[in-house]
């Protein structure tokens, strides 16, 4: 299985610290060495960006020179989605690395998935087509196709969340569907088996990375107005109160906090596939 990492922030923020620990899971502290990727909705100001700067690599995140550069290069972003891959569906190749990126309504959308979808073969009849051979990219293309069909104009984040609540169970019934998705305005997270999150805001404290021998005082990196949410498959730190999402839960993060999205999705227990921890 793969692992996910996402960030949603009120102000443009760097994910350097979290990515430093997370990338070690790509072949160093864990066995997710079949490629990795990260997408930043980079902004020059305080408004969320429409376009994403993204990097993917079929090499291990723990040894990739591109990942090493990003561990020390503080890209400022409102929304970030990252992924380290352990291949289960689709060969180890660049086109199968997450996150996947597409345009819809004049914005980039990015998507990363953890899990396996069994016998999943939706009908695609729009402009969204997979480039690679993963069930993940196929699900992403179908989601965007159905979102586009469901709205005549550009919908709000709340409207998008309501539509996703109807669409996601149609995919989740085929297996494990943990995912992160963002259009630069918000970060959507769905837990089929396991996702956790933490909210960071003033007053900031010292954190201890789980995958690297590093302690950092977040007060040195953030100001009083900063606020951000970190979503990940497994906790990145050993001394923070990570909140476990409930299986079947869809959350949307806006401005560094949890926005109201109306609760839970149906949990289809008969097809849930356990994720090794």
């Amino acid at each position: 299985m793969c692992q996910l990492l996402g960030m949603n922030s009120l102000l443009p923020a760097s994910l350097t610290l979290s990515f430093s620990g997370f990338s070690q899971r790509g072949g160093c502290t864990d066995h997710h060495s079949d490629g990795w990727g990260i997408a930043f909705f980079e902004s020059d100001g305080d408004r969320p960006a429409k376009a994403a700067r993204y990097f993917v690599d079929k090499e291990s995140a723990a040894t990739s020179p591109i990942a090493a550069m990003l561990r020390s290069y503080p890209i400022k972003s409102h929304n970030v989605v990252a992924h380290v891959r352990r291949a289960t569906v689709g060969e180890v190749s660049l086109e199968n690395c997450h996150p996947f990126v597409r345009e819809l309504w004049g914005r980039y959308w990015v998507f990363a998935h953890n899990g396996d979808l069994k016998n999943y073969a939706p009908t695609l009849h729009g402009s969204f087509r997979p480039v690679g051979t993963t069930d993940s990219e196929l699900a992403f293309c179908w989601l965007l196709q159905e979102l586009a069909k469901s709205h005549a104009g550009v919908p709000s984040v709340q409207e998008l969340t309501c539509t996703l609540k109807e669409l996601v169970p149609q995919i989740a019934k085929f297996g494990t569907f943990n995912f992160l998705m963002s259009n630069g305005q918000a970060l959507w997270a769905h837990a089929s088996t396991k996702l956790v999150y933490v909210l960071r805001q003033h007053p900031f404290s010292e954190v201890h990375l789980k995958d690297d021998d590093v302690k950092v005082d977040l007060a040195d990196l953030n100001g009083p107005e900063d606020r951000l949410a970190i979503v990940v498959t497994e906790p990145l730190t050993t001394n923070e109160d990570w909140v476990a999402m409930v299986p079947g839960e869809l959350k949307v993060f806006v401005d560094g906090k949890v926005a109201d999205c109306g609760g839970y999705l149906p949990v289809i227990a008969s097809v849930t596939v356990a994720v090794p921890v």
Side-chain angles (χ1 to χ4, degrees):
M1 293 294 182
C2 308
Q3 290 212 9
L4 304 168
L5 168 65
M7 182 194 76
N8 171 264
S9 180
L10 173 63
L11 301 175
S14 169
L15 196 65
T16 303
L17 175 66
S18 294
F19 182 71
S20 294
F22 179 73
S23 63
Q24 296 305 308
R25 299 178 181 181
C28 183
T29 61
D30 215 327
H31 49 220
H32 305 84
S33 57
D34 297 328
W36 66 277
I38 188 168
F40 304 86
F41 282 92
E42 191 175 358
S43 177
D44 293 328
D46 291 339
R47 294 180 60 84
K50 294 182 179 181
R53 184 198 299 232
Y54 62 101
F55 305 85
V56 291
D57 192 348
K58 65 178 181 179
E59 305 300 327
S60 161
T63 59
S64 166
I66 301 173
M69 180 270 291
L70 293 173
R71 285 193 287 269
S72 61
Y73 183 54
I75 296 176
K76 298 287 188 177
S77 177
H78 285 91
N79 290 279
V80 180
V81 173
H83 182 273
V84 289
R85 183 175 185 234
R86 186 185 183 191
T88 53
V89 178
E91 64 182 0
V92 178
S93 62
L94 194 62
E95 59 265 29
N96 286 335
C97 293
H98 309 219
F100 304 105
V101 182
R102 296 290 192 280
E103 178 275 332
L104 176 61
W105 294 308
R107 305 189 72 93
Y108 279 12
W109 287 70
V110 301
F111 174 91
H113 166 226
N114 164 28
D116 287 328
L117 302 173
K118 306 298 184 183
N119 301 313
Y120 180 64
T123 300
L124 297 179
H125 49 74
S127 58
F128 303 105
R129 301 283 181 174
V131 175
T133 56
T134 64
D135 51 355
S136 308
E137 189 181 16
L138 186 60
F140 180 40
C141 289
W142 184 83
L143 276 177
L144 292 187
Q145 171 184 282
E146 298 304 306
L147 283 174
K149 287 166 55 178
S150 300
H151 299 278
V154 180
S156 66
V157 169
Q158 184 177 14
E159 290 171 324
L160 287 166
T161 304
C162 290
T163 306
L164 284 172
K165 287 177 60 182
E166 298 176 356
L167 297 176
V168 169
Q170 298 179 49
I171 302 176
K173 67 184 180 181
F174 288 94
T176 306
F177 195 44
N178 303 299
F179 75 78
L180 296 175
M181 183 166 69
S182 179
N183 66 350
Q185 297 174 307
L187 176 69
W188 286 271
H190 175 253
S192 182
T193 51
K194 190 168 188 179
L195 276 178
V196 297
Y197 68 92
V198 68
L199 304 178
R200 294 173 177 168
Q201 59 187 356
H202 182 79
F204 294 95
S205 59
E206 183 180 78
V207 295
H208 307 165
L209 287 184
K210 181 179 180 180
D211 298 273
D212 208 347
D213 187 19
V214 174
K215 298 180 181 180
V216 176
D217 189 347
L218 294 178
D220 294 336
L221 304 176
N222 298 276
E225 296 181 353
D226 285 312
R227 183 176 67 229
L228 64 155
I230 303 292
V231 188
V232 71
T233 304
E234 294 278 356
L236 293 169
T237 57
T238 60
N239 65 326
E240 290 185 286
D241 294 326
W242 292 86
V243 179
M245 291 178 59
V246 175
E249 188 174 16
L250 176 72
K251 284 191 177 294
V252 56
F253 298 86
V254 179
D255 293 335
K257 60 183 180 181
V258 180
D260 182 16
C261 68
Y264 302 88
L265 302 175
V267 179
I268 306 172
S270 61
V271 296
T272 299
V273 180
V275 174
V277 297

